[in-house]
Amino acid sequence: MSPPATGAVTARARANIALVKYWGKRDRALNLPAAGSLSVTLDALTTTTTVRFDPDLAADSLDLDGEPAPEPSLARLSAWLDLVRKRAGIDARAEVVSANDFPTASGLASSASAYAALALAATRAAGLQLDDRELSILARRGSGSAARSIHGGFVRMNAGSAADGSDAFAEPIAVDPPWPLRMIIAVVGAGTAKEEPSRDAMEQCADTSPLYRAWLDSVPPDLAAAEAAIAARDLAALGRIAEGSALAMHGAAMASRPGIVYFQPPTIACIETVRAMRKRGASAWFTIDAGPHVKVLTDARSARRVAAALNAVPGVGRVIDSGLGAGAEIIG
Amino acid sequence: MSPPATGAVTARARANIALVKYWGKRDRALNLPAAGSLSVTLDALTTTTTVRFDPDLAADSLDLDGEPAPEPSLARLSAWLDLVRKRAGIDARAEVVSANDFPTASGLASSASAYAALALAATRAAGLQLDDRELSILARRGSGSAARSIHGGFVRMNAGSAADGSDAFAEPIAVDPPWPLRMIIAVVGAGTAKEEPSRDAMEQCADTSPLYRAWLDSVPPDLAAAEAAIAARDLAALGRIAEGSALAMHGAAMASRPGIVYFQPPTIACIETVRAMRKRGASAWFTIDAGPHVKVLTDARSARRVAAALNAVPGVGRVIDSGLGAGAEIIG
C-alpha cells in the first residue's frame, strides 16, 4: 500500500519555556497533560529537521547533529512515526536528520522543538496536510511540551478532558501589537545536565508527592491570571505568576519520595541574583524547568544587565539572550 | 500582692531538630501548631538561663551572651513573663541572664532552647512547681519548638484540638535502651543567617501557598511512620521520613507568593554530598529548617565521615557533631 516517496521535507521549530508549568499527565500512553500550561516560544533555540520516507529503507534512521542517535531516541521516534504512517496509509521507513542551532551539550536540547519540527516535516513528507490543531496533537504524542512549539509567541496548552486526547492541544494567545519580551537563559555548569522533563520524574511525583494534587489544583488559577497579565501587558504580574508556578512545581517535585531536587548550587545563586536585581529596579523574574538552568523573563530595558549579572554568577557556563520566536514552519 | 523574691534560679535546656517538621499554626495568639511534629533533642547546643524576680526592679531586663538584648526580644520576653507572673500571682519584674554554649552568631541560636530554659527557670523563680506538660505548654507560648525542648531524646509534639491549647504539648517518646543516633550540623556561611522559624514566613505560607494545606495533611502519616521507625530502631526508615518531611515543608514554603527560599548554594551542595555518601553506604539523611543550614541524621558508624565530608563542602563554615541530649533541668 506504500505510495511513492514524496521527497524530503525540512521544517524548523523553536524551543519554548513554560511560564505556567506543565508537570504531570492524566494519561501516560497518550501523553495527555493533567493540567494546562502557558509558554513563550523562543527565537534563539531552534531545531531544523528533514524527513524523507523511502520504501527502499530497511529501518528508520535518526541523525542528531551529525551523529546517529542513541537507540532509545530512535525507538521513541519510530513508535511516533508509526502514528504518521498509519494516518497517511504508508509503511515506508523514514530517514530523519535533525540539527539544533545551539550546542547539543548545552543541556537545553529540549524535545519540544524536536517533536514540533518533526510533526510538521514528517506529516508533509508523508503527504499529509494537517492543521495546527492536529499538528499540535501529533507533536504532543512525542513530547508534551512539543505541542506548544507548533505556535509562536505566547501559547496556551489546553489540558482537555477527552479520553482520546482530541482536545489536548496548544493554541496561540493573540497579542497585538507584539509584546517584545526577552528570556535570558543561564546555562548552569557545562550544560550536560538533562533539561528535558523526565517522564519518570513526573510519574514519581504523581505517585509519591503529598503535594502533587495541590500543585495540579494551583494551575488553573495561574493560567487565568497569566492570560489576564498578558492581556494587560503587565510584566510584573506575569513574572510573579511565572516564579510562583515554577516554585510550586519544584515544591511538588521536591516533596516526592525520594525527593526530586533539580536545583544545583548555581541555580540558587541565580535566584538570589534575580531577586537582588529586582530590588534594584530591574524587571526580571525567574523560571526553572526540570533541570538546573535558570530562565529569566525580562524586557528590552533590563535584558542586557540581567544577562551580565547572570554571566557573573559562579557556576554559570554561558548565557543566552532570546526574544520570542515564531511557530513551526516549512523551510524546504 | 508581690511576695518576696524567691532568689535566682538557673536552668539549662537544649536545642532540638524536628525530623517531622513543624510549619504552620492553628492559632497565632496562643501559638498553637496546625499539626504535630517529632524531634530529637541535641546535647551539643545548650542554653543556660538565670531568672530572678525582684520587686525593686523597674522593668524586665534580658542579657543575652553578655549583651543587653535588642528591644523586640525584650518585649517578647516581657509579654511571656506576664503569663508566669499572672499564674504565680506576682508582679515583680525579672532580671534574665541567658547564654548559649555555641557561638551566638552561628545562626543556630534557636528560640527552642531559650524558651525551654526560661520556662523552667522562671516558673521556679516565681515559686511555681509545674509538671512537664504545663512547662511544655508554657514554653510553647514563647516559641512553638520550645515545647519540645522540655524533654530529652525523641519527642512528640501534639497539635491538640482544644481552643485554649491545653492539649498542645510535647511528650517524650520512650526508647529503651537508648538509641544513640547522631546529628551532624553543617553551618552554612558565617552562620549569621537566621535559623529561627519565622512567624511571618509561616503566616505568609499559610496565607499564600497553594501547597500549604497539602503539607499539613502530609504530617499525620509522617508522624505515625516516624514513631513506627523509632519503635523498630530503623534508621533508614526514619531518615527517609525526615528528608521527605523537610523537603515537603520547604516545598510548601517555596510555593508561597512571593516564594520563600531558605536554600543557599552550599545548602544544595550539602544535599548532594549527603546523597552521594548514602550511595556509598553511609547511613545519613538530611533535614533543613527555616534557614540555610543542613542537619544530617546519622549514627556512630557514619558520623565521623559525614562530618568530614560536610566540612569539605565549599561555603560550609563549621560542622557540629552532636548526640542526643536531655530535657530541661535545674542546675542552680
Side-chain angles (χ1 to χ4, degrees):
Chain A
M1 68 182 201
S2 268
T6 60
V9 176
T10 300
R12 177 171 293 160
R14 291 155 190 85
N16 70 77
I17 302 292
L19 303 180
V20 178
K21 292 299 187 196
Y22 161 51
W23 186 254
K25 302 184 195 296
R26 64 179 167 93
D27 183 294
R28 292 169 184 183
L30 290 176
N31 218 16
L32 297 177
S37 54
L38 187 150
S39 61
V40 286
T41 301
L42 301 186
D43 65 4
L45 303 172
T46 76
T47 298
T48 304
T49 299
T50 300
V51 178
R52 185 176 65 88
F53 287 98
D54 185 340
D56 294 337
L57 292 171
D60 293 322
S61 68
L62 172 58
D63 179 290
L64 276 181
D65 289 320
E67 305 273 349
E71 177 51 40
S73 298
L74 180 59
R76 179 178 167 193
L77 171 68
S78 273
W80 181 86
L81 283 169
D82 287 343
L83 301 172
V84 178
R85 281 187 279 255
K86 185 177 174 190
R87 183 147 187 172
I90 63 174
D91 58 14
R93 302 295 102 182
E95 179 185 76
V96 177
V97 178
S98 190
N100 297 317
D101 74 344
F102 47 94
T104 302
S106 73
L108 294 166
S110 166
S111 54
S113 52
Y115 272 92
L118 260 170
L120 186 54
T123 53
R124 292 292 178 89
L128 296 167
Q129 286 278 351
L130 303 189
D131 64 19
D132 281 352
R133 175 181 302 201
E134 291 177 299
L135 280 174
S136 180
I137 289 171
L138 184 61
R140 188 203 75 222
R141 294 291 297 272
S143 163
S145 57
R148 298 189 306 249
S149 278
I150 295 297
H151 303 287
F154 294 86
V155 180
R156 164 200 313 122
M157 176 74 195
N158 301 298
S161 58
D164 68 353
S166 58
D167 54 358
F169 58 87
E171 54 193 344
I173 298 171
V175 180
D176 186 35
W179 192 18
L181 298 184
R182 298 202 73 80
M183 188 75 80
I184 313 295
I185 302 170
V187 180
V188 166
T192 48
K194 288 288 281 185
E195 176 75 2
E196 186 176 352
S198 155
R199 295 177 181 215
D200 290 348
M202 278 191 195
E203 292 187 11
Q204 184 187 325
C205 181
D207 292 346
T208 71
S209 173
L211 308 185
Y212 175 71
R213 187 70 238 171
W215 146 253
L216 288 183
D217 291 342
S218 79
V219 176
D222 276 352
L223 287 172
E227 293 221 28
I230 291 167
R233 303 172 88 87
D234 184 340
L235 177 55
L238 185 61
R240 285 192 295 266
I241 294 158
E243 275 196 17
S245 177
L247 289 174
M249 176 201 119
H250 283 271
M254 265 185 11
S256 304
R257 303 205 175 177
I260 298 168
V261 181
Y262 288 111
F263 300 162
Q264 290 182 10
T267 310
I268 300 292
C270 287
I271 289 176
E272 292 169 346
T273 297
V274 170
R275 290 184 154 182
M277 294 199 75
R278 204 157 65 220
K279 278 192 182 163
R280 296 195 303 270
S283 294
W285 289 264
F286 63 82
T287 182
I288 304 167
D289 291 298
H293 316 301
V294 178
K295 293 101 181 201
V296 180
L297 183 70
T298 185
D299 57 16
R301 180 183 69 89
S302 297
R304 189 174 297 190
R305 56 180 163 149
V306 169
L310 291 173
N311 205 38
V313 171
V316 169
R318 65 191 289 257
V319 167
I320 299 165
D321 180 351
S322 180
L324 303 197
E329 58 195 344
I330 295 288
I331 60 168
Chain B
M1 68 182 204
S2 267
T6 59
V9 176
T10 300
R12 177 171 292 159
R14 292 155 189 84
N16 71 77
I17 302 293
L19 302 180
V20 178
K21 292 299 186 197
Y22 161 51
W23 186 255
K25 302 184 196 296
R26 65 179 165 94
D27 183 293
R28 291 169 186 183
L30 290 176
N31 218 16
L32 297 176
S37 55
L38 187 150
S39 62
V40 287
T41 301
L42 301 185
D43 65 4
L45 302 171
T46 77
T47 298
T48 303
T49 299
T50 300
V51 178
R52 184 176 65 87
F53 286 98
D54 185 341
D56 294 336
L57 292 170
D60 293 322
S61 68
L62 173 57
D63 179 290
L64 277 181
D65 289 320
E67 306 273 350
E71 177 52 40
S73 298
L74 180 58
R76 180 177 167 194
L77 171 68
S78 274
W80 181 86
L81 283 170
D82 287 343
L83 301 172
V84 178
R85 283 187 277 257
K86 185 176 176 190
R87 184 148 188 171
I90 63 175
D91 58 14
R93 302 294 103 183
E95 179 184 75
V96 178
V97 178
S98 189
N100 297 317
D101 74 343
F102 47 94
T104 303
S106 73
L108 295 166
S110 167
S111 54
S113 51
Y115 272 93
L118 260 171
L120 185 53
T123 53
R124 293 292 179 89
L128 296 167
Q129 286 278 350
L130 303 188
D131 63 18
D132 280 354
R133 176 182 300 200
E134 291 176 300
L135 281 174
S136 180
I137 289 171
L138 185 61
R140 188 204 74 222
R141 294 292 296 272
S143 163
S145 56
R148 298 188 306 249
S149 278
I150 295 297
H151 303 287
F154 294 87
V155 180
R156 164 201 312 124
M157 177 74 195
N158 301 300
S161 58
D164 67 354
S166 57
D167 54 358
F169 57 87
E171 54 192 344
I173 298 171
V175 180
D176 185 36
W179 192 18
L181 298 183
R182 297 202 75 79
M183 188 75 80
I184 313 295
I185 302 170
V187 179
V188 166
T192 48
K194 287 287 283 186
E195 175 75 4
E196 186 176 351
S198 157
R199 294 176 181 215
D200 290 348
M202 279 191 195
E203 292 187 11
Q204 183 186 326
C205 182
D207 292 345
T208 71
S209 172
L211 308 186
Y212 175 71
R213 187 70 239 172
W215 146 253
L216 288 183
D217 292 343
S218 79
V219 175
D222 276 352
L223 287 172
E227 293 221 29
I230 292 167
R233 303 172 89 86
D234 184 340
L235 177 55
L238 185 61
R240 285 192 295 266
I241 294 158
E243 274 195 18
S245 178
L247 289 174
M249 176 201 119
H250 283 271
M254 265 183 15
S256 304
R257 302 202 175 179
I260 299 168
V261 181
Y262 288 110
F263 300 163
Q264 291 181 10
T267 310
I268 300 292
C270 287
I271 289 176
E272 293 169 345
T273 297
V274 170
R275 290 183 155 183
M277 294 199 74
R278 203 156 66 220
K279 279 192 181 160
R280 296 195 303 270
S283 294
W285 289 265
F286 63 82
T287 182
I288 304 166
D289 292 299
H293 315 301
V294 178
K295 293 100 181 200
V296 181
L297 183 70
T298 184
D299 57 16
R301 180 183 69 88
S302 297
R304 188 174 297 189
R305 57 180 162 148
V306 168
L310 291 172
N311 205 39
V313 171
V316 169
R318 63 191 289 258
V319 168
I320 298 164
D321 180 351
S322 181
L324 303 197
E329 58 195 346
I330 297 287
I331 61 168

